[in-house]
Amino acid sequence: MYKKWILTCMSILFLSPLFAPLPLLAANPLEEDPKNSKRVALYQSVSALTGIPWEYLASLDQYEQNIHQTSKKQANASTEQSNSERVLSIEVPVEKWVGLINPNPNDVEEETIQYFGGIGRDGDGDGKADPHNDMDVLATIATVISKNGIHEDSIREQIWRYYLQPTAVDVITHIAKIYSTFGTIDLQQKYFPVAIHADYSYRNTWGDRRGWGGLRIHEGTDIFANYGTPVLSTCYGYVELIGWNRFGGWRIGIRDAQNQYHYFAHLNGFKKGLKQGDIVKPGDVIGSVGSTGYGPPGTSGKFPPHLHYGLYRFNGNKTYSFDPYPLLKKWEKETRQLKKAKQSSSKSKKGRS
């Protein structure tokens, strides 16, 4: 009864012309886009009425967007048509929505859906639990993940029960921490991983053969630079891994909000105090170029100093590597332009002082 009352209140507030989204997220260009503004309004309204932090709703939506973008399956015409007006990416499987043994896969009656163990709920008060209605979908997901409360451990448990995939739990909660730290979903900016003023060189080495430790392919791009050259975070991200690996030496792994895992290896060392669970932004110093790896902790000098930079994605089932070289070229250009813009702005300010 309580949850039904909550969902009714949500629909009244969300549909009311007097309703204005709570100022939970910072204004930014991405959210000025009509579609993204609607997404933010949905997160805020459900968060305000259920107590679920908006960042978990946003990260679940972003996670599904990431998964759908990397999926090679093509949606049929009817699905595309039914989803044409949606702004959220969350798609609840039919068997979960209506119930596994429900004889009607198109059931939108909440009473029968619950009878057959389905999770679908009517979130906008129109009397239908429609899996193609954004308010219904987000209200349903909010009900699922808050089943045992809104504490982080409880939410993680429910995410696990929903996806049955431990990596999904970490990816979603880590993206949520990134959103919470910066107070926005506009976190697309990237940065070149080596100080742009440094003496460095690189070419496309992804897929090259490697023999140490067994025949394998090179899953990254090598950026050659002098010992101690600053290594920078390429993204807004969550430090998932930091420490030693016999292949990569001293290395760092950072997850961004777009579900890309940024891998920095062969480092000379880490930024003092940097640890697992820290949140970083583009351009933050995270370490320095070295030549560590290919042996037990401390092994160094078996190859010229360079940064091994790799990119990985999780597709809902497994993590796979992809070629970072085209993105590195793009980020290098953007970082140079950003630096020039900052220098120009700094000169302009000095001229006015």
Side-chain angles (χ1 to χ4, degrees):
M1 178 65 71
Y2 174 73
K3 287 184 177 179
K4 183 70 175 179
W5 176 82
I6 283 288
L7 295 180
T8 302
C9 289
M10 286 164 55
S11 62
I12 292 172
L13 281 173
F14 186 76
L15 295 174
S16 170
L18 298 177
F19 173 70
L22 298 176
L24 296 175
L25 307 184
N28 54 75
L30 176 66
E31 292 160 14
E32 289 175 3
D33 178 273
K35 187 172 182 178
N36 284 297
S37 294
K38 290 180 181 178
R39 290 173 64 198
V40 170
L42 283 162
Y43 306 149
Q44 291 177 327
S45 60
V46 174
S47 174
L49 287 156
T50 63
I52 299 171
W54 70 267
E55 55 263 28
Y56 285 105
L57 301 172
S59 62
L60 275 158
D61 188 30
Q62 183 63 52
Y63 171 78
E64 294 235 357
Q65 183 180 106
N66 299 336
I67 298 306
H68 301 327
Q69 286 176 342
T70 57
S71 173
K72 299 299 181 181
K73 297 179 181 179
Q74 297 296 318
N76 59 46
S78 62
T79 300
E80 289 179 350
Q81 183 177 3
S82 63
N83 291 342
S84 62
E85 295 183 0
R86 294 197 61 196
V87 296
L88 299 184
S89 297
I90 300 172
E91 295 180 7
V92 181
V94 173
E95 64 274 12
K96 285 183 179 289
W97 189 271
V98 302
L100 185 61
I101 60 174
N102 192 329
N104 180 9
N106 299 313
D107 195 355
V108 293
E109 299 298 326
E110 191 171 319
E111 185 176 349
T112 55
I113 287 174
Q114 291 189 51
Y115 176 79
F116 286 107
I119 65 172
R121 297 293 182 267
D122 172 20
D124 63 3
D126 67 353
K128 297 179 180 179
D130 184 356
H132 306 302
N133 177 296
D134 281 332
M135 194 62 180
D136 289 359
V137 170
L138 200 59
T140 296
I141 291 299
T143 301
V144 170
I145 68 172
S146 64
K147 183 178 180 180
N148 293 331
I150 57 175
H151 186 273
E152 181 180 342
D153 290 341
S154 300
I155 291 176
R156 284 180 61 91
E157 179 184 352
Q158 294 309 309
I159 292 173
W160 155 249
R161 291 180 180 277
Y162 183 77
Y163 288 106
L164 298 178
Q165 170 54 258
T167 302
V169 178
D170 286 337
V171 170
I172 291 167
T173 51
H174 294 171
I175 292 175
K177 285 182 170 63
I178 299 169
Y179 285 158
S180 177
T181 298
F182 296 105
T184 178
I185 62 172
D186 181 16
L187 301 171
Q188 304 287 339
Q189 183 188 2
K190 297 298 188 292
Y191 213 86
F192 193 68
V194 169
I196 207 72
H197 61 271
D199 183 14
Y200 66 85
S201 64
Y202 68 106
R203 61 182 180 84
N204 194 348
T205 55
W206 189 84
D208 289 356
R209 292 180 60 166
R210 291 291 185 270
W212 192 88
L215 188 63
R216 54 198 168 86
I217 71 165
H218 187 235
E219 296 183 344
T221 293
D222 289 336
I223 303 175
F224 290 88
N226 296 324
Y227 280 107
T229 299
V231 172
L232 314 175
S233 172
T234 44
C235 62
Y236 293 96
Y238 177 99
V239 178
E240 288 192 345
L241 177 149
I242 185 169
W244 180 268
N245 175 283
R246 71 190 186 100
F247 291 99
W250 298 119
R251 87 298 196 216
I252 297 173
I254 298 174
R255 176 83 55 183
D256 70 18
Q258 291 75 47
N259 191 23
Q260 295 178 136
Y261 181 79
H262 303 244
Y263 181 71
F264 308 79
H266 305 316
L267 302 177
N268 192 50
F270 310 124
K271 176 186 175 182
K272 186 177 181 179
L274 188 69
K275 62 186 182 303
Q276 185 177 13
D278 282 353
I279 303 295
V280 294
K281 63 181 184 299
D284 280 355
V285 175
I286 58 174
S288 60
V289 171
S291 61
T292 58
Y294 285 19
T299 302
S300 181
K302 290 192 172 184
F303 40 75
H306 67 278
L307 169 69
H308 168 95
Y309 175 74
L311 270 177
Y312 298 80
R313 283 197 186 100
F314 177 66
N315 66 4
N317 295 302
K318 63 180 181 180
T319 298
Y320 65 93
S321 168
F322 65 99
D323 186 2
Y325 183 78
L327 288 174
L328 284 171
K329 297 297 289 185
K330 177 176 181 288
W331 300 342
E332 182 182 31
K333 180 180 179 181
E334 292 173 350
T335 303
R336 289 189 185 280
Q337 291 174 340
L338 181 62
K339 184 179 179 181
K340 286 181 180 179
K342 287 182 177 179
Q343 289 175 339
S344 177
S345 176
S346 177
K347 289 180 180 178
S348 177
K349 289 180 179 179
K350 287 182 179 179
R352 293 196 300 267
S353 61

